[in-house]
Amino acid sequence: MSALGRLLRSFALRTALLTAFGVLGISALGLGLGWLRSSAALEEALDSTIRAEAELLIGEFQRFGMIGLTRAVEARTRDRTPSAILVQLRLPDGRPVAGSARLSGAPAGLRGFVTLRAPEGPVRTLGIGISNGFTLLVAAEFGAVLDTAATLATTLLAAGAVAVLIALGFGLFMARGLQLRLRRVSEAAEQVMRGDLARRLPLAGSADEFDRLAGTVNTLLDRQEALIEGMRQVTVDVAHDLRGPLSRLRQRLEAALARARDPNADSAAFEAALSELDTVLGTFTALLRIAQLEAGPPLPPQEAPVVDLSALVTTLAEAYAVVAEEAGKRLEVHIAPDQHVHGDAALLRQMLSNLMDNALMHGGQTLRVTLRAGPVLEVADDGPGVPPEERARVLRRFYRLDRSRGTPGSGLGLALVAAVAKLHGAAPVLSDAAPGLRVTVDLSGAKARS
């Protein structure tokens, strides 16, 4: 489809045309109202002038009688200026006594204002009854008023036409700009659908609604790219990390099948095979648990159950104190009382267990567990720690430092910690314990209000 065809079918053009028609309608309404108001105002001004002249003539009649009034009417009739007032004095039967012949068409016994249509042009006429049945007619040219109103109407019409043209032109200009912006957005979206996950919607830099919408969509694309990249990485990591246990399992079973049956040897082979299977199943269980946690929304702060975090940490620390003692290590515990959060007690227990397992396995001789008011949970050790450039990576699934590859585990412990923390509106922060590693989880967002 040509650019003109797309423009003619665009919503933006329809909006521009609708705006232009709206301006046209408003202009037409304003034209009508303006003409009526201006005509009425000019007519009222002319009527005031006629009344004033009529009052002067009535004053002549009151001072000098009918003779004075007749002379005043004749004097007004001799006045040839273009703006002269027309007057006529009539007998009770309607015959003129003196005055302008242009008022001869006025009906007999006229009282009040009326507009007379005459060949020379319309005349605004006021009829006033005086003594003995005489009638005084006072009038003025009405054509100038109509011409002024027509001129005003023409001006308003021309202004309305110009406004419509400007609105239409501006609407077309805006429609063209909107079409270009939408086309760039559409092209970027098509590139993303074709597999270019790094492509983002363009921003105009104006911080308007379109830029804010594009920014929101770009954030969504960032998360989608991270999710797809994470899935790709998980697939690679699963294949890499499970290939070893499964290969060893196959080798053990092949070796058991190849040799002569020996109950003791077969039992040892089966136990080793079961151990390998337990490792594989444990990995899959952890992966499923992480996936479930990451797929779910954060727990609503006021709807989740209240957990006594101080009691939970105390109970778990007492259990791990025995484990640490058996491993020849020392556990230091500092717990602030009365720390409560909205959350899942089992998941919080799992998160703390993973942190303590990680510290016991990879740390030094001292393990420190601290629960500060906030609440803020902190687990630290005095081991070799994690280099700053590796701290974000160790929170990913299956990621392990080179020195840890010989130790038991699948590299999912800290990933599970991150998933549980996210579910509770927090994120683990890794820092230097000088020496060792410190993992801090700020749970103040899930704090239970007392």
Side-chain angles (χ1 to χ4, degrees):
M1 185 182 295
S2 65
L4 179 59
R6 286 194 300 269
L7 182 61
L8 292 176
R9 296 184 60 183
S10 71
F11 168 78
L13 178 61
R14 293 198 299 271
T15 303
L17 291 175
L18 183 62
T19 302
F21 284 126
V23 171
L24 178 60
I26 294 172
S27 299
L29 181 61
L31 171 65
L33 292 176
W35 185 84
L36 291 175
R37 293 292 298 275
S38 60
S39 297
L42 292 172
E43 184 177 310
E44 179 63 29
L46 187 60
D47 289 351
S48 297
T49 302
I50 294 172
R51 287 193 193 95
E53 184 64 23
E55 289 174 359
L56 290 176
L57 291 172
I58 294 299
E60 291 288 330
F61 172 74
Q62 291 173 348
R63 286 195 298 271
F64 304 108
M66 187 62 68
I67 296 176
L69 176 60
T70 303
R71 290 176 180 176
V73 168
E74 290 175 346
R76 298 290 195 279
T77 304
R78 289 192 296 270
D79 188 356
R80 300 295 183 181
T81 59
S83 59
I85 295 294
L86 304 175
V87 294
Q88 188 182 77
L89 181 62
R90 287 184 173 188
L91 295 171
D93 58 3
R95 288 178 299 160
V97 175
S100 174
R102 290 185 61 183
L103 301 180
S104 298
L110 174 66
R111 298 293 184 269
F113 279 101
V114 68
T115 301
L116 301 179
R117 302 295 175 181
E120 298 84 354
V123 179
R124 185 70 172 167
T125 305
L126 171 64
I128 301 174
I130 55 178
S131 66
N132 301 323
F134 282 76
T135 300
L136 176 65
L137 300 180
V138 183
E141 298 282 355
F142 197 51
V145 173
L146 297 178
D147 291 342
T148 303
T151 301
L152 179 60
T154 303
T155 303
L156 290 174
L157 180 61
V162 171
V164 169
L165 292 176
I166 293 175
L168 185 59
F170 183 73
L172 290 174
F173 173 76
M174 294 298 295
R176 181 62 177 167
L178 179 59
Q179 185 185 51
L180 290 176
R181 292 188 69 175
L182 292 177
R183 187 175 65 188
R184 289 195 293 267
V185 170
S186 178
E187 290 173 352
E190 288 177 359
Q191 291 296 324
V192 173
M193 288 188 293
R194 290 173 186 165
D196 185 5
L197 299 180
R199 186 70 181 267
R200 296 294 179 267
L201 303 187
L203 301 177
S206 56
D208 58 6
E209 292 82 357
F210 288 100
D211 270 8
R212 291 197 291 272
L213 177 60
T216 301
V217 174
N218 286 340
T219 302
L220 177 64
L221 292 175
D222 289 338
R223 294 182 180 178
Q224 181 183 6
E225 182 184 13
L227 235 120
I228 294 175
E229 184 59 32
M231 290 175 60
R232 184 183 296 123
Q233 186 64 41
V234 166
T235 303
V236 173
D237 290 339
V238 166
H240 180 271
D241 281 64
L242 296 185
R243 183 174 57 185
L246 292 176
S247 296
R248 290 193 297 271
L249 176 59
R250 179 179 177 82
Q251 291 171 3
R252 291 179 187 278
L253 293 177
E254 286 180 345
L257 288 173
R259 64 173 177 260
R261 299 276 65 80
D262 181 355
N264 293 330
D266 289 346
S267 178
F270 291 153
E271 289 178 359
L274 286 174
S275 178
E276 295 289 356
L277 283 175
D278 288 341
T279 300
V280 173
L281 290 174
T283 299
F284 276 115
T285 300
L287 279 174
L288 289 173
R289 189 59 169 157
I290 293 172
Q292 291 171 352
L293 293 175
E294 291 182 342
L299 293 172
Q302 303 305 322
E303 296 180 12
V306 176
V307 179
D308 187 344
L309 196 59
S310 298
L312 186 149
V313 176
T314 300
T315 302
L316 205 58
E318 291 174 354
Y320 270 86
V322 179
V323 178
E325 185 178 354
E326 291 176 352
K329 299 183 178 183
R330 185 174 71 259
L331 175 64
E332 298 178 359
V333 181
H334 304 281
I335 301 174
D338 298 325
Q339 298 301 307
H340 297 81
V341 295
H342 291 279
D344 188 309
L347 292 178
L348 291 171
R349 189 178 295 107
Q350 180 68 56
M351 179 181 72
L352 181 55
S353 296
N354 283 18
L355 289 174
M356 297 175 75
D357 285 336
N358 192 71
L360 286 171
M361 185 175 298
H362 304 291
Q365 295 302 308
T366 303
L367 168 65
R368 294 183 297 276
V369 177
T370 305
L371 178 63
R372 300 196 304 272
V376 177
L377 181 62
E378 186 178 283
V379 177
D381 61 70
D382 59 353
V386 176
E389 64 275 10
E390 299 281 352
R391 289 171 186 167
R393 300 173 187 167
V394 297
L395 296 173
R396 297 186 337 210
R397 300 180 184 94
F398 295 111
Y399 190 85
R400 307 185 74 187
L401 298 177
D402 290 337
R403 64 171 181 265
S404 302
R405 295 192 180 277
T407 59
S410 58
L412 296 173
L414 289 179
L416 184 60
V417 168
V420 175
K422 179 183 176 183
L423 192 69
H424 290 80
V429 177
L430 279 62
S431 58
D432 190 1
L437 176 69
R438 178 187 294 108
V439 181
T440 305
V441 181
D442 187 351
L443 294 170
S444 57
K447 181 178 180 180
R449 307 300 175 186
S450 56

